[in-house]
Amino acid sequence: MRKPPDNINVIGTVLLAFLTACQNQPTETPKPATTAQNISAGDLTQRAIQRRAIEAVIWSTPAVNFDRMYEAMVHDAKAGEGSNKIVYWSRLFGWKNQTLTPNPDSIYFIPFFNMKDVGPIVLEIPPADGGSITGSIDDCWQTAIEDVGPAGVDKGKGGRYVILPPGYNDKPPGGYIPLQAYNYEGYALLRSILKSNSETDIAKAVAYGKQIKLYPLSQAAHPPETRFIDAIDVVYDANIPWDMRFFVSLNRIVQIEPWLTRDKAMIDQLKSIGIEKGKPFNPDAKAQDTLKAAVGEAHAWLADKYEDSYFPPPYYEGGHWYVPASSDVIEGLHTFYANPDKYPVDDRGVAYTVGFFSAKHFGAGQFYLMTFKDKDGQNFAGASTYRLDIPANAPVTQYWSATVYDRDTHALIRNMQWPSRSSQTPGLQKNADGSVDLYFGPKAPTGKDSNWIPTSADGRFEVLFRLYGPQKPLFDKTWKLSDIEKMNR
């Protein structure tokens, strides 16, 4: 038998010595990494609460946005508790409508409904012979159930829509347009469209909108009179509160609404921050401090995402106008997030810090373009003056408008004389070729008051351009909206 090489014997000797040394070492149970980092169990709990609360805020923003509008109806408009009422504005509103990016160039009617106790709800839309409604019915998560009016299911013929609550198994009655909802609460954003901004046409649009009816199906044989609440002279403050009130609103939604399958992963997340179905929400002082920090951080994150990464490519190549929602959000709002491989919670959270409402068929009745940058790619400053050239022959059957909003709140700038100008503004000046120049700034250029939208000299702003009754040249981009250009360089 051949003798092993000397180096093998050396290796074996070294290995045996190493193993013997290891066996003689005292055994010690490894310490968890957290203990080594001196993180206590209490600190871990608070970190988990804050982390989960941040995600809860991002996820629930559309529902809290809805709840704040409902609370504004109850308290600011003094409608009192309970739904199945219609808030409206009896003339074109100004800055006191503190919802997110509202449209000040149409007459708003907002029916709020709750089917929890009364069952199916009927919403009657009048035929478009003495007026026109552009609108949609949304659930409390602001996902569109369906569009109504000429761009909706009734095609301008009017109709009785019956909204069916979760778990409704009866056959809907004949003569109604049935719409299945997956939540008990919701609202409709119904805009009574003006033929012009004259006092006569405004009054006609209001009268037409007041033909809308809202009542429980169970009372259809003898419908009660629909209650309208005029909010024109009150500060209707529905902006999202980035404080403890956010979680109070979220808790109210959780207590009333069923869990949707897509959202069941949030049940334990919310339980860990004190929100659980069937139990009171009563965080102690320490938990409240953690939740306040979380909602502030979530708000900052959403605002940062809006400014830096939310928008898709510009609508016009090389320009600065954007559709104010990501393609994934638009798809989800159209389909109740039916795509099994997409649930754009982050982008949806951003969208509902900026606006409210969704249409079932985006681009059918209205289209939106938003910007907060000038032609040179710089953010708008309220102390500067800017000009927007709107080319002639805007592709609309109804009207276009440009509205200025506070960049930080996404609401109308407080205490401004007016928030917008539209193709229906009395005295609007047109150029010889039919184009229109609009001006944005703290003061109107000489002789341009009718074409001027005021801004706050100590703030930032953004502009939303609306096209009602949009036509083909908008979508094939043969008509192109110019970028806004800074004048006082």
Side-chain angles (χ1 to χ4, degrees):
M1 182 169 163
R2 183 179 296 179
K3 181 181 178 182
D6 291 342
N7 62 336
I8 295 295
N9 289 331
V10 172
I11 292 171
T13 300
V14 173
L15 179 61
L16 179 62
F18 174 74
L19 292 173
T20 301
C22 289
Q23 291 173 350
N24 292 332
Q25 291 295 319
T27 59
E28 182 177 345
T29 303
K31 294 182 179 180
T34 53
T35 302
Q37 296 171 13
N38 296 317
I39 303 175
S40 68
D43 286 341
L44 283 172
T45 298
Q46 294 306 311
R47 288 188 182 195
I49 290 174
Q50 180 162 345
R51 188 171 60 248
R52 291 183 168 189
I54 289 170
E55 296 305 319
V57 170
I58 295 168
W59 164 75
S60 65
T61 296
V64 170
N65 182 326
F66 159 79
D67 188 69
R68 296 312 304 175
M69 291 192 295
Y70 168 80
E71 288 295 311
M73 175 196 72
V74 171
H75 300 294
D76 296 340
K78 296 181 170 42
E81 293 289 345
S83 294
N84 307 327
K85 305 165 186 174
I86 299 179
V87 174
Y88 80 106
W89 281 259
S90 58
R91 59 182 183 271
L92 295 179
F93 55 74
W95 69 266
K96 289 184 178 181
N97 183 343
Q98 284 288 298
T99 49
L100 295 174
T101 55
N103 179 358
D105 291 290
S106 65
I107 301 296
Y108 267 18
F109 289 82
I110 306 181
F112 288 89
F113 59 85
N114 186 340
M115 300 178 284
K116 183 76 172 179
D117 298 323
V118 301
I121 290 290
V122 176
L123 177 65
E124 290 191 18
I125 301 298
D129 51 10
S132 179
I133 293 288
T134 298
S136 304
I137 304 170
D138 287 14
D139 66 16
C140 63
W141 283 92
Q142 305 210 55
T143 303
I145 303 172
E146 195 48 85
D147 300 332
V148 303
V153 175
D154 63 90
K155 303 298 183 185
K157 297 178 181 178
R160 294 184 298 173
Y161 292 82
V162 59
I163 308 163
L164 307 174
Y168 186 82
N169 296 316
D170 294 343
K171 183 179 179 180
Y176 292 85
I177 301 171
L179 303 176
Q180 181 63 61
Y182 301 102
N183 294 277
Y184 293 109
E185 295 178 289
Y187 73 102
L189 177 57
L190 308 175
R191 310 164 194 85
S192 186
I193 304 301
L194 303 171
K195 293 182 178 179
S196 79
N197 283 18
S198 70
E199 291 186 11
T200 297
D201 282 339
I202 289 172
K204 287 180 179 178
V206 172
Y208 174 75
K210 294 189 81 170
Q211 296 179 49
I212 299 166
K213 295 181 181 179
L214 183 72
Y215 53 86
L217 178 64
S218 60
Q219 300 179 27
H222 302 285
E225 184 176 351
T226 299
R227 185 178 173 194
F228 290 87
I229 300 99
D230 189 358
I232 192 62
D233 291 323
V234 302
V235 178
Y236 193 86
D237 195 350
N239 282 332
I240 297 173
W242 302 103
D243 52 34
M244 275 303 297
R245 291 173 293 169
F246 189 103
F247 297 103
V248 172
S249 282
L250 174 55
N251 179 65
R252 197 187 77 82
I253 294 293
V254 168
Q255 299 305 327
I256 293 174
E257 299 297 341
W259 279 104
L260 303 178
T261 300
R262 71 185 189 216
D263 290 323
K264 283 195 170 183
M266 292 302 298
I267 295 176
D268 272 6
Q269 301 281 335
L270 294 186
K271 184 178 178 180
S272 68
I273 67 172
I275 296 177
E276 184 176 1
K277 191 177 287 292
K279 294 187 177 181
F281 175 56
N282 189 27
D284 60 24
K286 188 172 184 180
Q288 286 190 42
D289 288 342
T290 302
L291 293 175
K292 290 174 186 176
V295 74
E297 184 173 337
H299 183 206
W301 186 86
L302 290 165
D304 183 70
K305 187 172 174 64
Y306 168 74
E307 296 193 4
D308 293 337
S309 62
Y310 169 65
F311 288 112
Y315 191 68
Y316 304 107
E317 185 176 356
H320 297 287
W321 289 103
Y322 300 87
V323 176
S326 72
S327 58
D328 286 347
V329 169
I330 292 173
E331 176 190 334
L333 293 172
H334 290 179
T335 64
F336 285 96
Y337 302 96
N339 188 329
D341 297 318
K342 291 181 181 179
Y343 192 17
V345 170
D346 290 350
D347 283 357
R348 185 183 68 178
V350 176
Y352 286 99
T353 65
V354 178
F356 73 99
F357 143 82
S358 70
K360 187 72 171 177
H361 305 286
F362 182 66
Q366 66 282 319
F367 194 81
Y368 308 105
L369 291 171
M370 176 170 261
T371 185
F372 50 79
K373 292 182 181 293
D374 65 19
K375 183 178 180 180
D376 297 323
Q378 301 300 308
N379 291 336
F380 295 135
S384 298
T385 300
Y386 302 83
R387 181 177 65 87
L388 169 62
D389 174 44
I390 303 168
N393 303 314
V396 293
T397 60
Q398 294 176 336
Y399 69 92
W400 59 255
S401 68
T403 307
V404 167
Y405 300 99
D406 186 308
R407 172 76 178 277
D408 296 317
T409 66
H410 308 294
L412 297 173
I413 301 174
R414 289 175 178 261
N415 300 309
M416 291 294 104
Q417 295 162 276
W418 51 76
S420 67
R421 289 305 194 198
S422 83
S423 55
Q424 297 180 327
T425 297
L428 188 74
Q429 299 175 28
K430 293 184 178 181
N431 300 320
D433 63 356
S435 64
V436 173
D437 290 330
L438 293 185
Y439 301 89
F440 311 88
K443 293 182 179 180
T446 303
K448 300 296 183 181
D449 287 62
S450 61
N451 289 44
W452 166 63
I453 306 173
T455 62
S456 174
D458 58 357
R460 306 183 302 166
F461 70 92
E462 58 198 2
V463 178
L464 187 61
F465 195 86
R466 291 177 168 88
L467 301 105
Y468 270 65
Q471 295 180 304
K472 186 174 181 291
L474 171 66
F475 301 112
D476 66 20
K477 301 178 184 177
T478 54
W479 182 90
K480 182 178 178 180
L481 185 62
S482 307
D483 276 344
I484 297 174
E485 187 172 4
K486 188 175 181 179
M487 294 180 63
N488 50 340
R489 296 177 181 276

